[in-house]
């Protein structure tokens, strides 16, 4: 298994204390998506949206990586071939767990973006609607996260990786949101072996050749050990 491409979702960070979106007490059960995760919601009430991300930014900064994040970093360090981690998560737990080159297709809580000039910088703990952009001074700053209706980041790079994948794993994602939910089919078209590692079957479970169910902190280290031992 030379090239491995991994997609992660909120489930890999659940045991680090960060909420998922669609589980019982998930974020989208407490906040209407259209109010806090769309450009229209931000235009309607920027203070509400900034506060929503301020809370998540502080929570993510305090969170610690779990055994699943660390196992993926170990896979990157010890596997002979390339291991590319694409995450839908906006927390920095892959990096805190030692991973490198992580592709944040939905952006990052730790980064800020200016809607006026496109400048990006490390976000302060709390952002407010009238914060001036450090580059152009316009009061047009926002969290550098991808909202519904916006194009995820680095899609060309991601599809190029999927086209070369020998092994594709989706970890902790419900398969509800495209384009990420379609990556398994892209990888399978490229001839990759595909595996879903999740607490329970995702919406796209039937697209995977192999499934492993359980908490990520248990099943991901086991799977990494199997890959490194050449048993996958
Ligand atoms: N271990 C493994 N999987 C888990 C765990 C755990 N401890 N806890 C929950 N899960 C699984 C759930 O079973 C579910 O399938 O993680 C998945 C979380 O699904 P979602 O809450 O839908 O999160 P995600 O798939 O990452 O959402 C995708 O939707 O709202 C947008 O931008 C947001 O990036 C997010 C995208």
């Amino acid at each position: 298994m030379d090239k491995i491409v991994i997609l992660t979702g909120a489930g890999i960070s659940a045991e680090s204390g960060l909420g998922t979106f669609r589980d019982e007490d998930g974020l989208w059960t407490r906040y209407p998506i259209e109010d806090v995760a769309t450009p229209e919601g931000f235009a309607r009430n920027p203070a509400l949206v900034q506060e929503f991300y301020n809370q998540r930014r502080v929570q993510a900064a305090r969170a610690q990586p779990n055994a699943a994040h660390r196992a993926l970093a170990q896979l990157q360090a010890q596997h002979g071939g390339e291991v590319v981690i694409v995450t839908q998560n906006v927390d920095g737990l892959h990096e805190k767990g030692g991973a490198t080159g992580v592709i944040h297709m939905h952006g990052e809580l730790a980064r800020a973006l200016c809607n006026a000039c496109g400048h990006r910088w490390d976000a302060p703990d709390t952002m407010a609607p009238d914060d001036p952009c450090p580059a152009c001074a316009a009061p047009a700053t926002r969290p550098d996260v991808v909202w519904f209706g916006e194009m995820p980041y680095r899609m060309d790079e991601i599809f190029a990786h999927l086209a070369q994948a020998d092994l594709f794993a989706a970890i902790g994602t419900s398969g509800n949101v495209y384009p990420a939910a379609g990556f398994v089919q892209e990888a399978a078209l490229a001839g990759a072996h595909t595996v879903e590692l999740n607490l329970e079957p995702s919406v796209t479970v039937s697209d995977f050749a192999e499934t492993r169910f359980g908490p990520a902190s248990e099943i991901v280290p086991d799977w990494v050990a199997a890959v490194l031992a050449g048993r996958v």
Side-chain angles (χ1 to χ4, degrees):
M1 296 289 176
D2 288 329
K3 179 157 184 165
I4 303 174
V5 180
I6 296 164
L7 170 70
T8 64
I12 198 170
S13 297
E15 292 161 270
S16 295
L18 298 185
T20 62
F21 294 95
R22 296 173 181 83
D23 286 328
E24 258 148 60
D25 57 348
L27 276 171
W28 297 152
T29 65
R30 288 180 277 128
Y31 295 89
I33 286 180
E34 61 279 2
D35 289 352
V36 294
T38 62
E40 296 78 14
F42 184 62
R44 263 198 314 275
N45 189 340
L48 170 76
V49 174
Q50 290 284 23
E51 185 45 33
F52 174 69
Y53 286 96
N54 289 342
Q55 288 172 17
R56 291 181 64 197
R57 185 178 301 109
V58 170
Q59 195 192 18
R62 288 193 191 123
Q64 294 307 313
N66 62 58
H69 297 106
R70 288 193 295 273
L72 294 187
Q74 179 198 6
L75 184 62
Q76 281 189 318
Q78 296 178 11
H79 178 62
E82 189 183 7
V83 179
V84 178
I85 299 171
V86 179
T87 188
Q88 300 171 91
N89 300 339
V90 291
D91 63 58
L93 293 182
H94 281 299
E95 292 85 351
K96 279 188 188 173
T100 56
V102 179
I103 299 177
H104 283 270
M105 65 180 287
H106 288 167
E108 297 175 77
L109 286 167
R111 297 285 283 169
L113 168 65
C114 174
N115 264 345
C117 73
H119 178 59
R120 285 183 166 84
W121 66 100
D122 288 341
D125 282 351
T126 56
M127 296 181 71
D130 49 5
D131 287 350
C133 165
C136 75
T141 61
R142 57 173 278 184
D144 188 13
V145 299
V146 176
W147 287 325
F148 286 93
E150 295 182 326
M151 179 59 75
Y153 293 157
R154 302 174 63 180
M155 289 307 296
D156 292 345
E157 263 179 88
I158 294 168
F159 281 115
H161 285 308
L162 292 170
Q164 301 162 338
D166 298 296
L167 173 59
F168 174 80
I171 303 174
T173 183
S174 63
N176 275 296
V177 175
Y178 285 81
F183 289 174
V184 53
Q185 291 176 350
E186 293 296 322
L189 278 176
H193 174 65
T194 57
V195 55
E196 172 170 280
L197 295 106
N198 213 49
L199 190 62
E200 59 198 17
S202 76
V203 171
T204 53
V205 65
S206 58
D207 293 338
F208 290 85
E210 179 190 359
T211 54
R212 292 174 179 237
F213 297 127
S217 65
E218 292 171 19
I219 64 173
V220 176
D222 288 350
W223 174 73
V224 165
V227 173
L228 290 176
R231 294 198 310 274
V232 170

